[in-house]
Amino acid sequence: MTKPPHFPEPNAGETTDERQFFAQQKTRKLDKVPTLGGTAEAHYHGHRDRLRTRYREQGDAALADYEILELILFRLIPRRDTKPIAKDLLARFGTLAGVFGAPQHLLQEVKGVGESVALDLKLIATAAQRTLKSELRNKQVLSSWSAVIDYCHAAMAHETKEQFRILFLDKRNTLIADEVQQQGTIDHTPVYPREVVKRALELSATALILVHNHPSGDPTPSRADIDMTKLIAEAAKPLGITVHDHVIIGKDGHVSMKGLRLF
């Protein structure tokens, strides 16, 4: 009687996920399936080739969002059908942006997504954010407003807690620094006008763009948002520092408080 194959247990303290698991099980021939005539390639191999060809020849417009996610997961999970995982991720987080913006621990709650795959998805999100941020370098921010909004949306829209971010600008309105000054709860972030002005002086900034997110998804300013913005603008003005705007980021849009003439 043939003994079943033995698969080594992971070493103590070693983190495993689906990539490591499937990579270690070469003797199981997971890329083969039994047929009446012996074995055949697993069904997803042909699917992967067809999907890659469609992307190569027709571009991203020919693919649905879950198929784009599949293409990424092919490399992260080499020996498993990734279509169900891609669809489950989108069902859980709604959009591609929601998937990449989701916290790592929530990504790992989706069946088939382990620690390393979740970390790689976050790495892709980080690369996308830095690409958008690079579009702001050495440019006058006020004349590149859509790039500012795209960057802030990518960086903050899917955060589960409020963040208060400041874009510090020089006299030419070129970006000096982009900093998250405070992180709060799901619906509140403590902001101290004196600390905002102090940091602006340290950086020799002459203008600010304030940005914070609403994890609820609704970017409508609250009374507290309006009052806080007025306090910062009043504290900064005597020192020659201008608050150009306070932008509130939601999952599906943003609000410019300057555009609404709220300060």
Side-chain angles (χ1 to χ4, degrees):
M1 181 174 179
T2 304
K3 293 184 179 181
H6 172 70
F7 305 119
E9 296 294 329
N11 295 330
E14 189 175 75
T15 301
T16 60
D17 67 6
E18 63 285 346
R19 291 184 304 169
Q20 296 167 331
F21 178 82
F22 285 99
Q24 291 169 359
Q25 313 308 318
K26 294 181 180 179
T27 58
R28 294 180 64 179
K29 300 185 183 299
L30 292 179
D31 54 350
K32 300 286 185 179
V33 293
T35 67
L36 291 176
T39 61
E41 294 294 323
H43 69 89
Y44 53 81
H45 284 295
H47 170 68
R48 290 183 174 197
D49 290 339
R50 288 190 296 273
L51 204 55
R52 290 189 181 103
T53 298
R54 186 145 50 95
Y55 178 73
R56 182 173 60 250
E57 295 179 353
Q58 302 178 45
D60 66 284
L63 303 180
D65 283 355
Y66 79 87
E67 291 174 316
I68 294 291
L69 198 50
E70 273 192 87
L71 282 172
I72 294 170
L73 292 173
F74 287 169
R75 295 185 180 279
L76 306 183
I77 309 174
R79 292 183 176 86
R80 186 169 178 180
D81 183 2
T82 59
K83 181 187 288 187
I85 301 173
K87 288 188 172 182
D88 287 347
L89 283 166
L90 285 170
R92 172 69 183 274
F93 301 109
T95 63
L96 279 175
V99 172
F100 291 116
Q104 184 177 335
H105 71 280
L106 294 183
L107 289 170
Q108 289 179 235
E109 292 180 1
V110 175
K111 184 179 180 181
V113 177
E115 181 180 358
S116 292
V117 170
L119 188 64
D120 285 345
L121 290 174
K122 296 306 298 179
L123 180 60
I124 293 169
T126 298
Q129 289 174 21
R130 293 200 178 188
T131 299
L132 290 169
K133 186 175 180 179
S134 69
E135 294 297 314
L136 302 177
R137 289 177 183 163
N138 303 317
K139 293 182 180 178
Q140 291 188 346
V141 170
L142 296 184
S143 62
S144 307
W145 194 245
S146 62
V148 172
I149 298 303
D150 288 345
Y151 165 63
C152 291
H153 196 277
M156 304 175 71
H158 297 280
E159 289 290 330
T160 57
K161 295 181 180 179
E162 277 200 9
Q163 284 185 356
F164 183 71
R165 181 183 297 266
I166 306 175
L167 306 184
F168 297 93
L169 313 178
D170 64 16
K171 62 182 179 181
R172 296 185 298 113
N173 288 322
T174 300
L175 185 66
I176 297 173
D178 159 36
E179 297 181 353
V180 176
Q181 193 183 64
Q182 296 288 341
Q183 183 162 321
T185 64
I186 192 170
D187 60 1
H188 175 68
T189 303
V191 178
Y192 306 100
R194 181 172 59 185
E195 294 301 316
V196 173
V197 173
K198 177 183 176 183
R199 184 58 177 154
L201 292 172
E202 289 173 348
L203 294 170
S204 299
T206 58
L208 310 173
I209 296 174
L210 313 177
V211 190
H212 84 277
N213 64 309
H214 281 180
S216 67
D218 180 4
T220 303
S222 66
R223 171 49 58 182
D225 293 336
I226 297 169
D227 292 343
M228 178 263 292
T229 306
K230 289 179 178 179
L231 286 173
I232 294 175
E234 290 169 1
K237 187 175 181 179
L239 299 171
I241 301 170
T242 302
V243 177
H244 282 316
D245 205 344
H246 185 170
V247 180
I248 302 177
I249 301 290
K251 289 185 177 67
D252 300 316
H254 72 280
V255 165
S256 162
M257 291 179 62
K258 178 66 79 173
L260 295 177
R261 300 182 178 179
L262 293 176
F263 73 97

